[in-house]
Amino acid sequence: MFDAKLLPLQRRLIRPMAGRLHARGVGADSITLAGFALGLLGVLAAAYGLFWLALAGLVANRLADGLDGEVARLAGPTDRGAFLDIALDFLFY
């Protein structure tokens, strides 16, 4: 319900950043891995009661999840990248 209204706004906001990353040769898989690592750091921060840091890790993870998809659309998606993205999202959740 909300996705239909928020997705176009999300894409419009992250597309310029994705374009710059793609132009610099940053691949979608690298963004996926970095986002997963940032999410795990957020989990670790939550375990230690550092809730603002945990929130930052979660937000960074979600941003990276959107960015990797946009970069993949620019570079051409791969089966490996799609699997990596869904597998790491599953592990993170």
Side-chain angles (χ1 to χ4, degrees), residues 38-72:
L38 290 167
L40 289 182
L41 288 174
V43 170
L44 186 62
Y48 282 96
L50 303 169
F51 299 116
W52 286 109
L53 189 57
L55 179 62
L58 178 63
V59 168
N61 173 269
R62 298 292 74 219
L63 177 62
D65 193 46
L67 274 173
D68 67 1
E70 284 297 318
V71 170

Side-chain angles (χ1 to χ4, degrees), residues 2-45:
F2 293 113
D3 286 352
K5 295 190 189 302
L6 292 178
L7 195 56
L9 174 63
Q10 174 196 346
R11 285 202 173 136
R12 194 172 41 236
L13 291 173
I14 66 173
R15 189 169 289 141
M17 191 182 322
R20 287 191 296 276
L21 289 170
H22 176 64
R24 290 190 172 110
V26 177
D29 291 352
S30 298
I31 298 168
T32 300
L33 291 169
F36 180 69
L38 290 167
L40 289 182
L41 288 174
V43 170
L44 186 62

